[in-house]
Amino acid sequence: MLMIGGCDSASTPPGGPEMMVYEAARKRMVRDQIAARGVKDDRVLAAMARVPRHEFMPASQRPLAYEDGPLPIGHGQTISQPYIVAFMTAALDPKPEDRVLEIGTGSGYQAAVLSGLVAEVFSIEIVEPLALRAKADLKRLGYGNVRVRVGDGALGWPEAAPFDAIIVTCAPERVPRTLVDQLKVGGRMIVPVGPTGGAQELYLLRKHPEGMETQAVLPVRFVPMVKDR
Ligand code: SAH
């Protein structure tokens, strides 16, 4: 490479060649795994194309960051398949003024995707080292409207309730009543429900003045929502 005065900016794009490779992989991911499977919300597709998924995983997993599957993030937990993240995000119908609660911060990736689509994200993770790492990664990458707390997500975040939307990324055996109570009228909740290791179904709930509307939208497999450790 020709270097003049120690500067090679003409040949190296901002962020370097590695970033370009990741960006191209991310575009393919959005096209082939997400849009092709029917997620149509342009804001969600743009968020999926923007958020650097590889930054939310251990270095050893980064080459696989834009592959079509879940990946281990340590402590026996996983970062969900990109399509599932996009599907759940779109199902929430996120609006710029929304305040959203997430249960199961994990890597922080889902929270980062939501960060650019809504006003505020509150995320709860029960495994402390995961919560601390996600918090640090979200801060390092500039996702300033995400707050992470260590705790049992089944209890929700009462001081910040009610929420416009709630996304649960671990599977309870039934929908926690406390979370339903922390949803605004007109609010949406997406939650995988079912026994550990058994058949789970992703449910989309809508809170109407006259009561809850519940719709099964996709068979899924998530890690269980645990109570305490
Ligand atoms: N949304 C994450 C993936 C979540 S994996 C991401 O984008 O990476 C599910 C997470 O839920 C795990 O990290 C697990 O520790 C957490 N979890 C399980 N039970 C929980 C509970 N009761 N409260 C909060 N988090 C819980």
Side-chain angles (χ1 to χ4, degrees):
M1 186 184 299
L2 179 65
M3 290 183 60
I4 301 165
C7 173
D8 66 343
S9 61
S11 56
T12 306
E18 202 183 38
M19 290 306 290
M20 299 263 300
V21 171
Y22 281 131
E23 202 176 319
R26 204 150 60 231
K27 277 198 181 131
R28 278 197 303 277
M29 170 192 87
V30 171
R31 187 189 63 206
D32 300 344
Q33 301 172 30
I34 301 172
R37 290 193 181 115
V39 175
K40 294 200 166 57
D41 186 321
D42 285 337
R43 292 179 72 233
V44 173
L45 296 178
M48 296 298 296
R50 214 164 40 227
V51 177
R53 191 169 190 261
H54 63 278
E55 296 279 4
F56 292 89
M57 50 190 59
S60 62
Q61 299 295 328
R62 284 189 187 158
L64 304 172
Y66 300 102
E67 298 293 312
D68 192 13
L71 286 170
I73 51 169
H75 303 272
Q77 305 302 329
T78 55
I79 180 171
S80 307
Q81 182 188 15
Y83 167 66
I84 295 292
V85 173
F87 181 92
M88 292 175 79
T89 306
L92 282 184
D93 193 15
K95 310 269 191 332
E97 62 278 11
D98 282 353
R99 296 164 70 252
V100 179
L101 175 66
E102 179 190 30
I103 311 303
T105 316
S107 66
Y109 174 68
Q110 171 74 72
V113 170
L114 282 166
S115 165
L117 296 170
V118 302
E120 268 182 295
V121 181
F122 299 81
S123 188
I124 308 175
E125 170 57 55
I126 205 163
V127 179
E128 187 170 19
L130 284 180
L132 296 179
R133 194 176 63 197
K135 203 174 191 167
D137 284 338
L138 287 160
K139 187 172 176 202
R140 170 175 63 88
L141 297 164
Y143 296 100
N145 62 346
V146 181
R147 292 169 65 185
V148 178
R149 159 188 285 192
V150 182
D152 182 358
L155 306 174
W157 196 313
E159 314 89 275
F163 299 96
D164 299 283
I166 299 179
I167 178 167
V168 185
T169 65
C170 45
E173 296 205 345
R174 54 187 66 82
V175 180
R177 176 77 222 173
T178 314
L179 295 183
V180 173
D181 290 343
Q182 291 185 17
L183 197 59
K184 273 186 198 170
V185 172
R188 294 83 56 200
M189 184 183 331
I190 188 101
V191 50
V193 180
T196 307
Q200 299 167 355
E201 193 75 44
L202 202 52
Y203 282 94
L204 178 61
L205 283 71
R206 285 199 190 81
K207 197 178 218 176
H208 298 292
E210 60 278 8
M212 297 301 296
E213 174 193 344
T214 303
Q215 196 186 348
V217 289
L218 194 72
V220 286
R221 187 166 289 232
F222 274 80
V223 298
M225 180 185 271
V226 297
K227 282 210 161 52
D228 38 36
R229 341 199 110 218

